[in-house]
Amino acid sequence: MIIPSLNNPFFAGIASEINTELRKFNYITIISDSDENVETEKMELLQLTARNIEGLIIVPCGDQWKHIKEIQDQGIPVVCIDRYFEDLDIPYISTDNYQGAYKATRHLIENGHSRITCIQGVQTSTPNRLRVKGFIDAMKEAGFESENIAGDDFTFQNGYLETKLLLQQKLRPTAIFTLSNTIAMGCMKALKEEQINVPNDISLITFDDHPYLDYLSTPLSSIAQPVSDISKIAVKFLLSKIQNKEITTSQVLLKPVLISRSSISSIVNTKLQK
């Protein structure tokens, strides 16, 4: 299995779930970290195929796919999870990222917010593009400005730096939508340093859920992905391909869930609007 970052709780959670699921079928999982670098991903693939792996589950880190298709063409079963290539004939399982982002943005709008900034992740990844589209469509439908999009990475640092820049603006956002919980953690650190209270001063919602979000000083609202279901379906697909069984459905998008906690307020501080 190759994932973009073991530092990201979402990917670490998926790796753990898949490892547990495959163990039930007496398989050992070799987990590699591509560090969000396509060249590293290619190197990891070469090393894994040299070990005569029986199958590959991958979260691609970029928009290049020829090296992944080559693995499949060699007769090694491949399944993509979370990130995928719509035009590539490789089975994938992911969340409906568009609907998740649309729901999150609508939730902020329904709580009275119109100046919403979206801090995004890796711009070339399919989930990020669909989340941004969901954000833009929800904003446009409500008649609001939809160009407030910043960031370029699913990291703590991206969330931290972009939030610092946002807070320097004369007209600050009343709400922030981060496209991963790692971005959200960086965002919250920056807000705390600037003594900005969540949610009284700025509301916050994130894509991706994790149990620790309940234990923050202000529990964070989120869009939860069905990690367990994604992992189980991925393993089912992979084992079916290893056993040369036909897969009737090879492209699956699962429903995201909005989890409302304490980080969104419908009362916007008038000082921040000036």
Side-chain angles (χ1 to χ4, degrees), residues 62-128:
D63 56 358
Q64 297 181 35
W65 51 262
K66 287 185 179 179
H67 57 292
I68 300 173
K69 188 176 186 304
E70 285 174 1
I71 299 300
Q72 180 173 256
D73 291 344
Q74 292 173 24
I76 299 174
V78 180
V79 174
C80 289
I81 57 173
D82 184 53
R83 305 178 188 180
Y84 54 93
F85 305 101
E86 294 169 305
D87 299 327
L88 189 60
D89 185 27
I90 289 180
Y92 66 77
I93 307 95
S94 186
T95 303
D96 190 331
N97 290 280
Y98 174 87
Q99 277 300 324
Y102 182 89
K103 280 184 180 182
T105 310
R106 284 296 309 172
H107 188 55
L108 291 173
I109 292 169
E110 288 164 2
N111 276 277
H113 296 279
S114 59
R115 284 205 315 277
I116 305 169
T117 293
C118 170
I119 304 181
Q120 65 178 332
V122 178
Q123 296 180 27
T124 56
S125 72
T126 303
N128 187 81

Side-chain angles (χ1 to χ4, degrees), residues 35-86:
D35 198 28
E36 289 284 10
N37 184 292
V38 174
E39 295 307 314
T40 301
E41 182 178 272
K42 291 176 181 178
M43 181 184 69
E44 295 288 346
L45 274 176
L46 286 173
Q47 293 180 348
L48 288 174
T49 52
R51 297 188 182 191
N52 297 317
I53 57 172
E54 291 189 60
L56 173 70
I57 294 177
I58 185 169
V59 182
C61 68
D63 56 358
Q64 297 181 35
W65 51 262
K66 287 185 179 179
H67 57 292
I68 300 173
K69 188 176 186 304
E70 285 174 1
I71 299 300
Q72 180 173 256
D73 291 344
Q74 292 173 24
I76 299 174
V78 180
V79 174
C80 289
I81 57 173
D82 184 53
R83 305 178 188 180
Y84 54 93
F85 305 101
E86 294 169 305

Side-chain angles (χ1 to χ4, degrees), residues 203-224:
S203 291
L204 180 63
I205 189 169
T206 189
F207 211 106
D208 292 341
D209 190 51
H210 196 279
Y212 71 73
L213 299 184
D214 267 325
Y215 295 91
L216 299 174
S217 56
T218 300
L220 185 57
S221 295
S222 67
I223 296 295

Side-chain angles (χ1 to χ4, degrees), residues 14 29 52 70 100 118 122 188 201 247:
I14 278 187
T29 311
N52 297 317
E70 285 174 1
C118 170
V122 178
M188 293 187 80
D201 297 330
I247 301 175

Side-chain angles (χ1 to χ4, degrees), residues 1 51 114 139 173 198 215 225 237:
M1 180 179 182
R51 297 188 182 191
S114 59
M139 292 291 282
V198 176
Y215 295 91
Q225 301 195 62
F237 276 3

